[in-house]
Amino acid sequence: MTAIWKEGGFVEGDPWIVETENRKAGEGERALIPYADIIEHGVEGNEPVGVVLGPFDDPTRLAPYLDRITLVALTFPAFSDGRAFSQATLLRERLGYTGELRAIGDVLIDPLVHMLRCGFDSFAVTNETAIRRLGEGRLPAVTRYYQPAAKPAAAVPGYSWRRQAGA
């Protein structure tokens, strides 16, 4: 089972799906278009378009179409593969993409907070533990960051160079 989660909770009736040989878009659903199809054929028509990027796909090649793309799904093929973090940062910070960024694939609870900071808006979650913890509102707490991000962290009072672990 795949559940779509956003910061406000689980989303019911999300129309976007990744088509497979066994699963095609049905009534009221919208297929996410493979990256290669967008690069080869562009974006036609006025309907909302969603695209799936794999780890090796170059988001900068989508620049001419980003104003017409409603959702970009970035793939996490394995827990240890973080290339989608870089793709999300590139889309948000360099290309100015303001549409929805969705994490798909091996989406686990621990890196989800970091995904939010990189600009992800939604998550296609299949991991049972992650679904349960998200349903309980139990996100990991990360309160201090060394690096800037697409979504800024809350300001911490005091001087950053004076902060110590546990302080």
Side-chain angles (χ1 to χ4, degrees), residues 17-26 30-32 34 52:
I17 67 157
V18 177
E19 289 189 323
T20 65
E21 288 183 19
N22 300 328
R23 174 79 163 96
K24 301 295 180 192
R30 302 197 58 81
L32 290 164
V52 177

Side-chain angles (χ1 to χ4, degrees), residues 70-94:
T70 304
L71 183 142
V72 176
L74 301 173
T75 307
F76 286 88
F79 172 77
S80 60
D81 191 335
R83 290 174 282 186
F85 285 104
S86 299
Q87 291 172 319
T89 300
L90 183 63
L91 283 160
R92 290 287 192 222
E93 294 180 5
R94 291 193 191 159

Side-chain angles (χ1 to χ4, degrees), residues 37-123:
D37 289 355
I38 297 276
I39 299 305
E40 187 175 330
H41 304 293
V43 176
E44 299 174 2
N46 295 322
E47 293 294 316
V49 173
V51 61
V52 177
L53 271 72
F56 292 105
D57 295 334
D58 179 5
T60 61
R61 295 190 61 199
L62 292 176
Y65 314 110
L66 286 178
D67 61 333
R68 311 247 327 271
I69 296 175
T70 304
L71 183 142
V72 176
L74 301 173
T75 307
F76 286 88
F79 172 77
S80 60
D81 191 335
R83 290 174 282 186
F85 285 104
S86 299
Q87 291 172 319
T89 300
L90 183 63
L91 283 160
R92 290 287 192 222
E93 294 180 5
R94 291 193 191 159
L95 299 175
Y97 180 67
T98 58
E100 184 175 340
L101 286 183
R102 176 169 295 172
I104 63 173
D106 196 11
V107 177
L108 301 178
I109 192 78
D110 292 334
L112 199 133
V113 173
H114 301 292
M115 292 176 189
L116 285 166
R117 282 190 38 86
C118 287
F120 283 93
D121 303 295
S122 65
F123 306 86

